[in-house]
Amino acid sequence: MNVAALKKLLEGVRDKKTGIDEALHELKALPFEDLEFATLDTHRALRQGFPEVIFGQGKTFPQIKAITRSMLTRKENVLITRCDPEKGKALKKAFPRASYNATARTIFIKSHEIIEAGRGTVLVVCAGTSDVPVAEEAAITAECMGNRVERLYDVGVAGLHRILHRKKDLWAANVLVVVAGMEGALPSVVAGLVSRPVIAVPTSVGYGANLGGITTLLAMLNSCAAGVSVVNIDNGFGAGVAASLINRE
Amino acid sequence: MNVAALKKLLEGVRDKKTGIDEALHELKALPFEDLEFATLDTHRALRQGFPEVIFGQGKTFPQIKAITRSMLTRKENVLITRCDPEKGKALKKAFPRASYNATARTIFIKSHEIIEAGRGTVLVVCAGTSDVPVAEEAAITAECMGNRVERLYDVGVAGLHRILHRKKDLWAANVLVVVAGMEGALPSVVAGLVSRPVIAVPTSVGYGANLGGITTLLAMLNSCAAGVSVVNIDNGFGAGVAASLINRE
Amino acid sequence: MNVAALKKLLEGVRDKKTGIDEALHELKALPFEDLEFATLDTHRALRQGFPEVIFGQGKTFPQIKAITRSMLTRKENVLITRCDPEKGKALKKAFPRASYNATARTIFIKSHEIIEAGRGTVLVVCAGTSDVPVAEEAAITAECMGNRVERLYDVGVAGLHRILHRKKDLWAANVLVVVAGMEGALPSVVAGLVSRPVIAVPTSVGYGANLGGITTLLAMLNSCAAGVSVVNIDNGFGAGVAASLINRE
Amino acid sequence: MNVAALKKLLEGVRDKKTGIDEALHELKALPFEDLEFATLDTHRALRQGFPEVIFGQGKTFPQIKAITRSMLTRKENVLITRCDPEKGKALKKAFPRASYNATARTIFIKSHEIIEAGRGTVLVVCAGTSDVPVAEEAAITAECMGNRVERLYDVGVAGLHRILHRKKDLWAANVLVVVAGMEGALPSVVAGLVSRPVIAVPTSVGYGANLGGITTLLAMLNSCAAGVSVVNIDNGFGAGVAASLINRE
Amino acid sequence: MNVAALKKLLEGVRDKKTGIDEALHELKALPFEDLEFATLDTHRALRQGFPEVIFGQGKTFPQIKAITRSMLTRKENVLITRCDPEKGKALKKAFPRASYNATARTIFIKSHEIIEAGRGTVLVVCAGTSDVPVAEEAAITAECMGNRVERLYDVGVAGLHRILHRKKDLWAANVLVVVAGMEGALPSVVAGLVSRPVIAVPTSVGYGANLGGITTLLAMLNSCAAGVSVVNIDNGFGAGVAASLINRE
Amino acid sequence: MNVAALKKLLEGVRDKKTGIDEALHELKALPFEDLEFATLDTHRALRQGFPEVIFGQGKTFPQIKAITRSMLTRKENVLITRCDPEKGKALKKAFPRASYNATARTIFIKSHEIIEAGRGTVLVVCAGTSDVPVAEEAAITAECMGNRVERLYDVGVAGLHRILHRKKDLWAANVLVVVAGMEGALPSVVAGLVSRPVIAVPTSVGYGANLGGITTLLAMLNSCAAGVSVVNIDNGFGAGVAASLINRE
Amino acid sequence: MNVAALKKLLEGVRDKKTGIDEALHELKALPFEDLEFATLDTHRALRQGFPEVIFGQGKTFPQIKAITRSMLTRKENVLITRCDPEKGKALKKAFPRASYNATARTIFIKSHEIIEAGRGTVLVVCAGTSDVPVAEEAAITAECMGNRVERLYDVGVAGLHRILHRKKDLWAANVLVVVAGMEGALPSVVAGLVSRPVIAVPTSVGYGANLGGITTLLAMLNSCAAGVSVVNIDNGFGAGVAASLINRE
Amino acid sequence: MNVAALKKLLEGVRDKKTGIDEALHELKALPFEDLEFATLDTHRALRQGFPEVIFGQGKTFPQIKAITRSMLTRKENVLITRCDPEKGKALKKAFPRASYNATARTIFIKSHEIIEAGRGTVLVVCAGTSDVPVAEEAAITAECMGNRVERLYDVGVAGLHRILHRKKDLWAANVLVVVAGMEGALPSVVAGLVSRPVIAVPTSVGYGANLGGITTLLAMLNSCAAGVSVVNIDNGFGAGVAASLINRE
């Protein structure tokens, strides 16, 4: 029930076309419908230049295709994450406008121009070449959400000069997403060099006592540099969304 | 070595007052001194209205007193976190201007007015009364860093109406810090209701399979609501800093 | 030895057709046979409308076929869980009456009508589409055990309006099975809205720090809503049985 | 806003004492207040013979006293759990009607007679004498919630005859709460002997590889007997509530 | 119901003094009483020279005193384990015959001479001086159960010559209990030198990544020497019992 | 250097055929060769009816074949464990006398009759049909080591009557190996019924919170029945060896 | 900018060919370039007989080929680790000089003779045949870095005479790398026999409670022999580098 | 039996003063006595300037006093680690020559001058002031073992300029011990700047997801800089010994 319908109901009561009991009955369902509006407000906010996003992992090709189709009818941009090459190929065939990013394993289907919405630049930093897929997922997510994105890859802490060499790029960013595996030291080092928010993304890169990224995750949560917050292992998408929310005007 | 000194050195070379070898020797130490300047830039940025912060846990009273004294000579505001009542009392005696917050276990010593620096409001939300100390640490940290802070406490998910009743407060915030123990569901629920960044803080409140907050931490990292990022268990201070960095103009 | 046989033995003693020693010898084995009766009593209770159940995982097709055949000779309904498509196909061929549910990965072979045995409705709720297979296993198990089952799927806490919109369905249920992966917040939210027993089922849906469902399991055990009890990860069958036992008259 | 107030508002509209816009403004806050009613419905249901419950652990004596006082003004029965002897003594002094159970560490303050609400008996079973405090917490919770409660203590599986000897008590129960530490085998054995719901409660009794009850918890979740559901370690209160919800008419 | 009573019942039936229904009713309880006899058989076996044992940890002094008193009336030897010095002192006062072993934290009260029951010697080996309390608990348990016990202490693997020097003692034993903390290597080394059963006991001696003995426990379970079996952390008593069962004739 | 050779050396010295220095040089290597004898003593003991054993897992077919061949030249019986069907087939082809047990995944090649060496019977008990492979590995290992072995399978605790029905078999055994997955309760129940040593073997049977057998392992280590000792997950071989060592005269 | 270039710049300033501002501009980038020199110093040190190393795991054949090609142009020796047979074959085809070690899964391409750089011998010891691949990775890494390497394989602690027999080899080494799986006892035993540094390498060899090498890792970190330090699970390469750094003159 | 005694025995045989059997009997014990010599060789090596070390934790004051006294009679230097202030005071009273280091919690009693034994400098680096006690334990251990030790404290990675500023100190060291808590990033950064062996020591400094140092430990084991090896949590002593062994000529 929207406000117009609510107004109409009240007018019916005023005009005695609608009985008190009948109106009470109608109003019983109100909270949740109204809440739904509230949520739609949220959604509208989210949709300002933001694409709809489908988490592709664990979904079959027909499932993804059906959801995509339904989204495109609403003229929305569609971003599909965790999309393996096989599904990527099939989706490109089904939606010729789709562009597949093999590194990030994402599909993007543009229905309209992306509206630039960020205050500044989102800088995605990563430690090693094996962290690039997760970094790219973050970068593409942020781009699709209307942000200017810069990339600074392969600057792990075992060769400090690499990151120090690029300190201007670090200082130029409004939000930083820092992706690393192994001992996960990079976010601490980066956060010590900048005064902007740092989102740390642990990756499952490593072996043995890396425990599939758990070690990296725990290390990042224990960062000695205050102001670092952390998302789930390999969750480039989540970091991209968090960075976009921070960067929004 | 600052730029003026560097210029002077080069002028000495040009004017042949300084030999090449002597200059080379001077320049050998340059990278690190220069870097130090870079870092000072960072520090200057951080200091714009930001207090110096001392992590009180594990430090003795004399240690804290000495560091505080040295900081106050630089006319900085000083924030001491993880400060138990006994130390709090002793520090209040040593620094009569100090104000002790028993809930947050923080001491604040104001040397100058806090400069308001935030774009909007930082809203600190917490699930239960046992989470309040951590929430207050976050709130006071953000306040000391120049942010307007609102509080919304005791709104856990087992009684949804409590949080829904305050949806306008949620929508009014620029950044949200959401503090919860036990199953850690509150950040997911809050993030589903707003379109601003949410920093989740797990607390060690709970028992048995709560594992000292590890369960809550892991649950928050698995939030079904994108855009949530997480700090360490009971780390109200870290969340306050992260929120401040996000909220800065 | 059943009660009839025992009675006959005693009559033999009374009628002096059976000597004391012979009777003592017969009775020596009694405890365990009698216990078996005890257990059979239990079984009879369980069988009131309850099918026999085979846990298909880790059993070969010939093993399942043999057990099924032996069960059908006792004219029982047979439910096979954790049955992958290949085995499902083979079993359908072997037992033409069998119906395979591809989502729940269950086979049901009806020997007689299911006797309705529940006091009210079992409501199976799930958070996301990936949780549906586990939810369906619970639902089908409860149905086969003689319960009226309602389903309420894809109502995760990141969009609260979805669950609030269906509060009447929640209130109408006698027992609720709530299935969720990731941060496992749904059972807490549901239990806060109803006054009936809630069985929580964690699923292994998620990634990274989800730890194959362990995070979800631990979070549910730490639910801030009293009255929630939990079964093993992905254990839809166990939840269906627990709900059936609760719902029985 | 309750239904009476809502009706009054509508009557104001009908009688033109209240303008449409004014009414709309009033109704804007409705969803959440109305939801509150929904929740109050739940609460009312919960309150049918149910006491208010205060989780005493981590709360100071003044805090508990204040909450208790406020509750007693509403003429409710009050149950305080996790209340150590010192607090128990202080509370008994403050509320002379209070009765303290030293084993269960609970305080009960009766404002009115408990209304019997259960369909049958709640049987609380425990394995060893060290599990008794948790078992008693469950038993007292269920009693305060209007259930007839029976106790069957010290019947661990290392001496099977103890539990087998009492099979009639097991069979007579409508719901069973089974409390055990160490290897946690008792719920499996009990669930194999009955056809009613079993709530398993792991305790932190044990040492070494017991891991503070985690081992027992995990073992119970892996019970080979279907229909067992589990609550958190040492959570006698939660088991008492779950059993009460199941036992309610 | 023992065999004599059963015979009497059958004679009653034969002589028509007892009706069939009455007899059936009597026999209903039979399984468990009979089982109780079975269990008593077990107990009798266990009691051949074996003391009654009380696990003192978590029990109050009055509780232990009461249980002890009741046991002594049956003229049994009593062994109390995990008995701290304070309780030890109090028990010695209450039972003047009691002897307290401060290292093993055990109390032994002799009602009759211990009957030697072992086939050979139980050798208790330990790695470091910190492991001695657990080793002594094992040794005293085995002694109280009628075994000849030898001790071989402080022979850790970092100084191999110590254990090699005593190889004759190792070869002379019928069962070996090997107690170690830290990396838990001693059972593997000992088992490689003998051809008799080795019971490994991990202790919680160590720090950091020792995890309270879990590391040692896991290492022992992964012993490269076949034939090693393991008991819980610090469980000297359990090892003593296992060794006694193995050593019995 | 064996004793004969040592004697010969000394005789050479006595007879002045061997110089002191030459003898000293020979004796320098003695410690370790002598130790080797010590070990050979052990080995001889182990070999009394014991086969040589090859752990097949992780070894290639050519590796296993080569080791087997070298062993057979010493006329020993050979037991190969963890041998998958493919390798089994290849080995049977290479060694026609070999017999492959598909359930236990073992190969046995008899060079001579097995010498019966045990004092009594080794009883291998298992809880469910999925535990049979591990139980069979234990049984076959014990058989190959000269023990009479009885089997008691599919007697899990959820149907107590099954194990109680076979109590005579339990009482007849000299050593018991109890194999179980899931909650691992069977060893506790069995150990409560007998007065002989019980070796518990956890299996990796289960799912979710079973953690690949870790839950079962931990539960068994926390057995409330004293005298149970535990081997590694799925380690049927280790249990068979431990049982054999216990059962040896 | 290297020192020569820096000198040239200063000479330009002195000779007034370069203006102060121009020089300042050039020097702005200095810190990092200079730091790079620092790093190059390190690299130069590392390169004294040290090969360039590529971690092959997770890299595609084309990626490895490209990196290798670029390295060979600098006339460096190239070592590729974690290189499976398929990639090994392809690389051998692409670089005919390459030699593939199937056990260690390494490729070595010699551009120039390896310069011997070590003070003494690196001894690589391993416990079982399954640990050989990791041991070989360590050995080959150390050899490629200019060390004399000795090997002592299959000397696990369950047969102590094997390691004692070779004590002279142990004593002759300057650094020892000790590789073991399962209970990881070998480094403790070895470190007790020598007075040189011991690098322990846990392997993922084992099953069940071995937890993929975590048990071995934790056991080694708890070694009772001081002076043992540990690298990651299966990290033969890291141990080889650590040993080389220790052994360098 | 030493070589002289052995020679004498052989001479006795040659001279027929000692019978063959008598000699054989004497030689039976040889391996282990001889081994003891071997071990004494090791000990002699270890003792070259090395003190005897007592691990004070878990030992009572009388125990430590007794061991110390016995050591001093051999005119050895004595180092006692993990010695709390109370014991420190008591020991200083008992041994007036003793010097107590309150930060490192060590006691050193000098019997003779420490013999300088190292090739170069051991540099002990630590990240934060809370890590100093562990760093000091390492430093004092290395000093007592005859090394020149330098300290570089409070140079954590969140302020990179601090460590970079001291790169000459890093380059001057022969071995580096790097102590850190929290995310444990410092060893990776340091190892990237030097070409000498780095021993990493995780400390239990941190909170929440630090898990008592486990997170730091795991992170260090996953260091992206090759050549780092790790000791147990807070094990400054072990690191000092490892560094000393590496630094020895």
Side-chain angles (χ1 to χ4, degrees), chain G residues 8 25 29 220:
Chain G
K8 208 167 149 187
H25 187 262
M220 287 176 172

Side-chain angles (χ1 to χ4, degrees), chain B residues 156-160 163-164 182-185 188-189 191-193 205-211 215 218-225, chain C residues 156-160 163-164 182-185 188-189 191-193 205-211 215 218-225:
Chain B
V157 302
L160 269 187
I163 186 80
L164 294 176
M182 307 190 87
E183 87 277 63
S188 297
V189 165
L193 294 171
V205 171
Y207 55 97
N210 180 275
L211 307 176
T215 290
L218 292 174
M220 287 175 172
L221 285 162
N222 280 280
S223 173
C224 55
Chain C
V157 302
L160 271 186
I163 187 80
L164 294 175
M182 307 189 87
E183 86 277 63
S188 297
V189 165
L193 294 171
V205 170
Y207 55 97
N210 180 275
L211 308 175
T215 290
L218 292 173
M220 287 177 172
L221 285 161
N222 280 280
S223 174
C224 55

Side-chain angles (χ1 to χ4, degrees), chain E residues 119 170-176 190-191 193-199 226-227 246-247, chain F residues 42 46 119 244-249:
Chain E
R119 288 192 293 152
L170 296 177
W171 292 347
N174 188 40
V175 196
L176 299 99
V190 168
L193 294 171
V194 303
S195 57
R196 293 300 310 150
V198 170
I199 312 285
I246 292 170
N247 195 40
Chain F
T42 306
L46 278 166
R119 287 192 293 153
S244 299
L245 293 175
I246 293 170
N247 194 40
R248 297 199 61 201
E249 288 173 67

